[in-house]
């Protein structure tokens, strides 16, 4: 009990005094996860649409693959990106290992399949007459995709939340490709792990609380958007 | 209407990005309260920036001790170089060097290092410092090893008593030392036996697990000093030569891996045995723990 | 099968069209045309291929073989979207997009090339003509089935289609809503001189809205001709049964009606038999039998009477109750010989 109390006290102290390090770590976490989620959405949404709507041989397998991708172990993604970006790897010359860019890459590999799979599921759940009606109204391919995406916008929001959630709390890949470098690639999760290994539970707890708050805030905002558009 | 709200929530991310970019240039590392006050004056020898980043692969215990938080900024100030400190286990650090994915190594696993040098993966292996390992355990000491001078005998006693023991199990220098102790006691590594456990984690978490489970473990003194509850997890065995923990700095062989920063690596090696560095090493930890965590041990 | 003199630019033309689903051929039509401005009703029992025919005609479904021409132009890959912009489709479920009624119409107008400035006005105009202007801001989940269907129709008519595809649009509506809506659609089809292909299993709709009827049974054409002709003289037993006729051996019916037997089968339309209680056949045109089943459909009562063969007679529910008819009751039916068809 004493440890928990002490940890909470430390957490409070750090948050209230506005520790500069914690502040920059938080901003960096938001930026990296924000960019990787945005990129994942940029690619994942169209991929999900294509998976659901296009007709091609092996479509079912590809959808299964996307669904499997939602279970991608972050550590595997981290390992894969590391192998690519290490000096000994094919892209070593780019010197991207242990940079925020590498972390965005790894997080992209984790979040993109999530967004694609949930999008595909959402679009496939739309009533078939809707697809027919949109095409019957004279929609070309682009207009069709736009209208379908618009019809499924609420589940697509869920897809975004799922993608975001899958990377904001991720630590294995971030540690591996980012190196947890102070001032450069240290994010809330990797910093918390470091503090735990150093025995500084209070600081670790504080970082955890901040992370939770960040996640809650985003989830709250997106849920409000969702509720407002909800059919009542 | 709803589309606008969607765009708004999307704007949250770029806003965070802009704010983060604004604060990114600052690379101030966290100031360790335990850092020695010593700020030695720069040496007279002109040191130039190698122009490239320097990847230093080292061990988690080295980083956790906080020593590098003082040494590395000092080096960066002197040379203007940027050092990326990647802390993994000794085994993993050597592996990074083996593949040319790091420029210089700071490790403490002599047997593995020798094998590494035999492979020709490193050059100019230089001894820097040492600290020692200690066997810690529950205050009740069921295996009755307190005060034993012979570390191997202590391990034998633990095995005989089947007392819970928590090893690192992560290919680290500390694990290498532990394995050497079992060997020295004439025992096979007790892997698989009910009383023997491997955490697969760093020293800090391993100490935590051991104290929660009333078990024994082998730890480097620095981590024990900074992490452990001294009353719950006291030092029971210390001082044996077998418990010496020697650190070497090894630049990765540029002949084998042309892409390494060989100037930077050599510069860092020289720095680690320079007067300034040794001054930092010999005083580090005195203020906080009453004793230095490392002892200079140059050749 | 009677045809229609070919006009130079038929709204829709199908030639040798086969549609396959899985390994089954679900539709095979050698030739079918919808003339400009005419309404053709496609009739048939469930699963007969009506919707398939409609979707193929609307270029929403690609046939395994055959040609589909809209306004004389072949519905090939490239031209489909352009051709679809001259037609409109209404489905059984209104298939409204998740936006206000007015926006639904505006989207359709936008896709058909109406300038942005004109869209709102035209949308409101057509919502008004379908009687739902007051629901312009309502979202789909706030609309009843009938209201939603009116919006869907407004959306369809607003784009001034040359050909309108109606896929059982009234099937999900209750009787009263349906009656009003069918009337409104009928007047619109006339005033806009839009050609239409209407799929339905309700022949009263066909009678009201269409000039010609095309009966599909099992994916294959069974009869084609002016609506009255099809209904008056079914071309086959399947068509007759689908239209609700009772099929009796011609010999039996000829004896009842005291006429010469000229064909194999006698077809009695359900509304042409008058029911009175009790047995005894007082004369020509009367036949007695036993009630075997009492049914109801569309607010009307119906009894099946065994007169040697099964004959269905429609009867008002009130009369059904008044006469206390039950399986086993004896009734006498008076058949209107003028309405009987022979096959």
């Amino acid at each position: 009990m004493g440890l928990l109390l002490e940890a909470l006290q430390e957490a409070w102290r750090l948050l209230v005094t506005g520790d500069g390090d914690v502040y920059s770590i938080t901003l960096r976490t938001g930026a990296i996860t924000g960019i990787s989620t945005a990129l994942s959405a940029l690619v994942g949404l169209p991929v999900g649409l294509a998976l659901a709507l296009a007709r091609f041989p092996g479509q079912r397998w590809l959808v299964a693959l996307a669904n499997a991708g939602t279970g991608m172990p972050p550590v595997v993604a981290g390992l894969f990106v590391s192998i690519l970006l290490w000096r000994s790897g094919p892209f070593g010359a780019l010197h991207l290992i242990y940079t925020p860019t590498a972390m965005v890459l790894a997080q992209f590999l984790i979040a993109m399949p999530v967004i694609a799979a949930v999008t595909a599921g959402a679009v496939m759940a739309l009533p078939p007459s809707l697809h027919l009606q949109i095409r019957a109204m004279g929609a070309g391919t682009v207009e069709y995709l736009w209208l379908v995406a618009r019809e499924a916008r609420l589940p697509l929001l869920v897809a975004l939340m799922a993608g975001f959630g899958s990377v904001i709390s991720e630590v294995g890949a971030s540690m591996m490709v980012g190196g947890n470098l102070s001032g450069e690639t240290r994010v809330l999760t990797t910093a918390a792990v470091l503090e735990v290994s150093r025995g500084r539970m209070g600081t670790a707890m504080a970082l955890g609380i901040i992370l939770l708050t960040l996640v809650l805030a985003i989830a709250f905002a997106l849920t409000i958007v969702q509720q407002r558009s909800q059919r009542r | 209407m709803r589309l606008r709200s969607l765009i708004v929530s999307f704007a949250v991310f770029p806003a965070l990005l802009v704010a983060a970019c604004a604060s990114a240039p600052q690379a101030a590392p966290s100031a360790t309260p335990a850092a020695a006050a010593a700020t030695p004056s720069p040496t007279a020898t002109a040191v130039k920036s190698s122009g490239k980043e320097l990847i230093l692969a080292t061990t988690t215990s080295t980083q956790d001790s906080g020593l590098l938080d003082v040494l590395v900024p000092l080096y960066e100030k002197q040379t203007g170089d940027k050092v990326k400190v990647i802390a993994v286990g000794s085994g993993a650090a050597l592996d990074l060097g083996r593949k040319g994915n790091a420029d210089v190594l700071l490790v403490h696993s002599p047997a593995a290092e020798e094998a590494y040098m035999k492979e020709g993966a490193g050059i100019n292996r230089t001894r820097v410092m040492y600290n020692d390992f200690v066997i810690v355990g529950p205050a009740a000491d069921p295996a009755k090893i307190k005060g034993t001078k012979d570390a191997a005998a202590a391990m034998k006693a633990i095995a005989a008593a089947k007392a819970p023991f928590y090893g690192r199990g992560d290919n680290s220098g500390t694990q290498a030392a532990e394995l050497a102790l079992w060997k020295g006691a004439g025992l096979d590594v007790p892997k698989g036996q009910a009383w023997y456990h491997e955490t697969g984690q760093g020293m800090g978490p391993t100490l935590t697990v051991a104290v929660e489970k009333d078990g024994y473990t082998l730890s480097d003194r620095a981590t024990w000093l900074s992490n452990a509850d001294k009353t719950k997890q006291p030092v029971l065995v210390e001082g044996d030569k077998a418990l010496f923990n020697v650190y070497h700095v090894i630049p990765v062989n540029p002949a084998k891996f042309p892409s390494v920063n060989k100037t930077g690596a050599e510069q860092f090696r020289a720095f680690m045995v320079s007067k300034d560095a040794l001054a930092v090493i010999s005083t580090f930890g005195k203020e906080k723990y009453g004793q230095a965590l490392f002892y200079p041990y140059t050749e | 099968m009677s045809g229609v003199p070919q006009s130079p630019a038929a709204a829709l033309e199908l030639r040798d069209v086969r549609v396959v689903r899985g390994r089954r051929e679900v539709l095979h039509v050698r030739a079918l045309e919808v003339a400009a401005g005419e309404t053709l009703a496609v009739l048939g029992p469930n699963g007969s291929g009506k919707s398939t025919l409609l979707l193929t005609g609307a270029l929403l479904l690609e046939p395994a073989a055959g040609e589909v021409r809209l306004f004389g132009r072949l519905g090939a890959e490239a031209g489909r979207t352009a051709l679809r912009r001259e037609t409109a489709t209404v489905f059984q479920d209104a298939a409204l997009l998740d936006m206000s009624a007015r926006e639904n119409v505006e989207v359709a107008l936008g896709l058909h090339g109406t300038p942005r400035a004109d869209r709102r006005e035209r949308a409101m105009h057509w919502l008004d003509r379908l009687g739902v202007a007051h629901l312009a801001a309502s979202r789909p989940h706030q609309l009843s089935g009938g209201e939603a269907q009116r919006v869907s129709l407004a959306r369809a008519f607003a784009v001034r289609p040359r050909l309108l595809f109606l896929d059982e649009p009234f099937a999900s509506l209750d009787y009263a809503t349906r009656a009003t809506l069918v009337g409104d659609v009928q007047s619109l089809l006339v005033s806009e001189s839009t050609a239409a292909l209407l799929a339905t299993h309700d022949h009263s709709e066909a009678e009201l809205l269409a000039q010609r009827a095309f009966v599909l049974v099992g994916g294959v054409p069974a009869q084609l001709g002016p609506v009255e002709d099809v209904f008056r003289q079914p071309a086959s037993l399947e068509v007759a049964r689908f239209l609700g006729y009772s099929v009796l051996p011609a010999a039996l019916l000829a004896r009842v009606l005291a006429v010469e037997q000229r064909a194999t089968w006698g077809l009695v339309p359900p509304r042409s038999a008058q029911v009175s209680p009790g047995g005894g056949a007082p004369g020509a045109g009367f036949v007695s039998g036993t009630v075997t089943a009492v049914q109801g459909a569309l607010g009307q009562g119906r009894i099946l009477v065994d007169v040697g063969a099964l004959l269905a007679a429609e009867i008002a529910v009130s009369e059904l109750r008044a006469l206390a008819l039950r399986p086993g009751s004896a009734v006498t039916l008076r058949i209107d010989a003028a309405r009987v068809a022979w096959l």
Side-chain angles (χ1 to χ4, degrees):
Chain A
M1 197 58 211
L3 180 61
L4 185 61
L5 230 54
E6 172 197 316
L8 286 172
Q9 278 175 325
E10 175 64 19
W12 180 249
R13 189 191 70 80
L14 272 175
L15 292 168
V16 163
T17 60
D19 184 282
D21 239 18
V22 168
Y23 184 66
S24 69
I25 288 177
T26 306
L27 279 178
R28 189 176 306 121
T29 308
I32 292 179
T33 309
I35 297 177
S36 63
T37 307
L39 280 175
S40 302
L42 221 65
V43 174
L45 286 173
V47 167
L49 280 172
L51 278 177
L53 301 173
R55 300 261 168 275
F56 51 87
Q59 179 184 19
R60 215 171 295 170
W61 287 106
L62 226 56
V63 175
L65 202 66
N67 285 332
T70 64
M72 156 86 81
V75 165
V76 171
L79 195 57
F80 182 67
V81 173
S82 294
I83 291 176
L84 288 179
L85 297 182
W86 269 331
R87 295 246 188 85
S88 56
F91 299 103
L94 295 175
H95 293 294
L96 286 175
I97 190 78
Y98 309 131
T99 61
T101 311
M103 296 169 76
V104 168
L105 221 64
Q107 290 189 355
F108 173 81
L109 282 182
I110 299 167
M112 199 279 283
V114 172
I115 294 183
V118 178
T119 300
V123 171
M124 289 195 281
L126 290 175
S129 61
L130 200 68
H131 292 280
L132 287 172
Q133 181 75 81
I134 294 176
R135 282 165 59 211
M137 291 202 291
T141 315
V142 173
E143 294 133 336
Y144 172 60
L145 289 174
W146 167 249
L147 285 171
V148 166
R150 204 182 172 293
E151 283 301 294
R153 62 187 178 280
L154 289 180
L156 291 197
L157 208 56
V158 172
L160 270 179
M161 282 202 255
F164 176 75
S166 69
V167 290
I168 184 77
S169 46
E170 189 286 312
V171 66
S174 302
M175 191 69 101
M176 213 186 272
V177 307
N180 197 19
L181 302 173
S182 169
E184 295 174 62
T185 59
R186 193 164 291 177
V187 289
L188 286 169
T189 48
T190 55
V193 166
L194 179 61
E195 296 305 316
V196 167
S197 76
R198 281 188 175 172
R200 308 226 285 250
M201 300 307 176
T203 320
M205 186 112 245
L207 294 167
I209 290 174
I210 296 173
L211 183 58
L212 272 175
T213 311
L214 192 63
V215 173
L216 270 169
I218 306 277
F220 193 67
L222 289 179
T223 306
I224 295 222
V225 172
Q226 186 185 45
Q227 295 293 347
R228 235 183 250 147
S229 327
Q230 200 72 276
R231 300 147 192 258
R232 241 158 274 113
Chain B
M1 293 111 279
R2 282 135 257 112
L3 204 60
R4 241 169 259 158
S5 319
L6 201 68
I7 296 175
V8 162
S9 49
F10 251 113
V12 170
F13 296 137
L16 280 173
L17 161 65
V18 169
C21 277
S23 60
Q26 92 195 30
S30 50
T32 322
T39 32
S41 49
T43 47
T45 38
V47 277
K48 288 185 295 195
S49 165
S50 65
K52 295 195 283 183
E53 66 181 16
L54 185 73
I55 295 185
L56 167 67
T58 184
T59 70
T60 46
S61 46
T62 320
Q63 190 191 57
D64 287 351
S65 68
L67 174 67
L68 293 178
D69 290 344
V70 183
L71 277 181
V72 168
L74 179 60
Y75 175 79
E76 285 179 332
K77 201 160 88 173
Q78 285 188 0
T79 61
D81 262 358
K82 188 97 202 45
V83 181
K84 289 194 167 174
V85 180
I86 308 299
V88 290
S90 281
L94 287 169
D95 206 61
L96 282 177
R98 212 171 260 130
K99 300 230 176 67
N101 287 326
D103 299 309
V104 60
L105 314 174
L106 178 64
V107 289
H108 52 107
S109 190
E113 290 167 34
E114 272 154 31
Y116 178 82
M117 293 304 289
K118 272 219 184 76
E119 292 168 24
I123 53 169
N124 301 333
R125 177 167 171 248
T126 308
R127 205 169 64 192
V128 179
M129 61 197 184
Y130 77 91
N131 65 2
D132 61 334
F133 292 111
V134 291
I135 303 181
V136 304
D141 191 13
K144 305 264 171 284
I145 59 170
K146 184 168 169 64
T148 315
K149 286 295 167 207
D150 186 340
M155 300 296 269
K156 217 171 180 178
I158 292 174
K162 292 204 181 3
F165 186 91
Y166 287 85
R168 290 277 295 270
D170 64 345
N171 239 3
S172 57
T174 309
Q175 187 195 23
E178 179 211 323
L179 296 180
L181 285 178
W182 291 119
K183 200 164 169 207
L187 297 167
D188 285 326
V189 180
K191 194 173 175 137
Q193 302 214 23
W195 54 271
Y196 182 77
H197 311 269
E198 290 181 314
T199 63
Q201 298 178 65
M203 200 64 245
T206 304
L207 280 169
T208 309
V209 174
V211 75
E212 289 296 316
K213 299 288 211 173
D214 283 326
Y216 293 91
T217 187
L218 179 73
S219 170
D220 62 288
R221 191 185 292 271
T223 312
W224 177 79
L225 276 173
S226 55
N227 280 52
D229 180 330
K230 316 287 181 292
T231 29
K232 284 214 190 109
Q233 202 172 29
V235 170
L236 300 170
V237 179
E238 57 184 321
D240 188 343
K241 268 236 182 63
L243 293 175
F244 261 28
N245 183 22
V246 185
Y247 290 73
H248 286 79
V249 58
I250 314 175
V252 174
N253 187 356
K256 219 173 172 206
F257 304 104
S259 59
V260 303
N261 179 355
K262 69 175 184 202
T263 345
E266 169 51 36
Q267 214 163 253
F268 187 79
R269 186 203 66 79
F271 167 78
M272 283 305 284
V273 293
S274 70
K275 274 217 318 267
D276 301 328
L278 294 178
V280 170
I281 291 170
S282 56
T283 53
F284 183 72
K286 269 207 179 123
E287 210 178 288
K288 185 167 189 198
Y289 304 111
Q291 54 177 273
L293 297 186
F294 300 92
Y295 302 96
Y297 193 26
T298 48
E299 280 140 15
Chain C
M1 288 196 251
S2 59
V4 156
Q6 289 207 25
S7 50
L12 175 66
E13 222 183 293
L14 270 75
R15 295 248 171 275
D16 285 315
V17 168
R18 284 174 201 267
V19 178
V20 171
R21 192 163 294 149
R23 290 214 201 111
R24 263 190 340 129
E25 188 177 86
V26 292
L27 184 70
H28 181 197
V29 172
R30 282 223 183 80
L32 183 66
E33 275 178 27
V34 178
E38 92 159 316
T39 301
L40 176 70
V42 180
L43 289 157
N46 285 335
S48 54
K50 304 190 297 294
S51 289
T52 311
L53 177 63
L54 224 81
L55 292 177
T56 310
L59 301 178
L60 292 172
L61 187 58
E62 215 180 315
E67 286 182 350
V68 177
R69 267 174 225 276
L70 280 168
F71 320 115
R73 281 129 65 196
L74 204 55
E77 189 66 57
R80 273 204 207 128
T81 312
L83 282 172
R84 286 198 207 120
R85 291 194 179 147
E86 299 193 55
T87 67
T89 310
V90 177
F91 291 97
Q92 182 173 340
D93 69 350
L96 296 180
L97 298 173
D98 185 16
M99 47 181 84
S100 75
R102 183 174 47 84
E103 285 169 317
N104 260 281
V105 182
E106 286 176 356
V107 166
L109 286 170
L111 288 171
H112 276 68
T114 311
R116 195 176 283 270
D118 303 335
R119 284 180 212 168
R120 195 190 175 109
E121 200 189 317
R122 276 181 66 173
M124 291 307 300
H125 168 84
W126 280 99
L127 286 171
D128 189 41
R129 283 187 74 172
L130 266 298
V132 284
H134 61 291
L135 297 171
S138 303
R139 305 273 302 284
H141 61 97
Q142 298 170 305
L143 302 172
S144 71
E147 291 166 341
Q149 203 59 293
R150 282 180 181 274
V151 174
S152 181
L153 283 161
R155 181 174 63 183
F157 276 106
V159 300
R160 320 300 290 272
R162 287 165 65 183
L163 174 57
L164 187 58
F165 292 96
L166 300 159
D167 191 356
E168 307 205 48
F170 315 106
S172 317
L173 305 177
D174 64 81
Y175 187 65
T177 319
R178 185 191 312 197
T180 334
L181 196 49
V182 169
D184 290 346
V185 170
Q186 201 251 345
S187 50
L188 277 172
L189 283 174
V190 168
S191 64
E192 299 298 307
S193 16
T194 312
L197 190 62
L198 166 73
T200 179
H201 59 262
D202 183 315
H203 34 97
S204 49
E205 276 170 31
E207 275 182 291
L208 261 163
L209 297 169
Q211 287 85 51
R212 288 195 302 150
F214 178 62
V215 185
L216 265 182
V217 179
V220 175
Q223 192 169 359
L224 170 65
V227 168
E228 317 79 50
D229 291 356
V230 171
F231 287 174
R232 186 67 190 77
Q233 182 66 49
S236 71
L237 289 183
E238 291 135 336
V239 176
R241 284 204 187 93
F242 165 68
L243 291 175
Y245 281 86
S246 303
V247 177
L248 279 75
L252 170 64
L253 196 58
R255 203 175 351 107
V256 166
L257 298 172
V259 293
E260 216 182 293
Q261 179 188 340
R262 274 175 278 127
T264 330
W265 301 101
L267 310 172
V268 181
R271 272 181 236 126
S272 64
Q274 271 181 298
V275 181
S276 26
F286 286 88
V287 64
S288 301
T290 329
V291 177
T292 58
V294 175
Q295 301 166 340
L298 293 180
Q300 266 284 73
R302 196 165 92 127
I303 52 172
L304 292 180
V305 184
D306 185 359
V307 300
L310 273 183
L311 200 122
E314 284 188 12
I315 173 175
V317 176
S318 50
E319 214 191 315
L320 196 65
R321 291 220 189 96
L323 298 174
L325 294 176
R326 274 188 309 276
S329 311
V331 290
T332 301
L333 301 168
R334 182 165 187 273
I335 299 171
D336 181 358
R339 305 211 19 221
V340 164
W342 300 95
L343 206 58

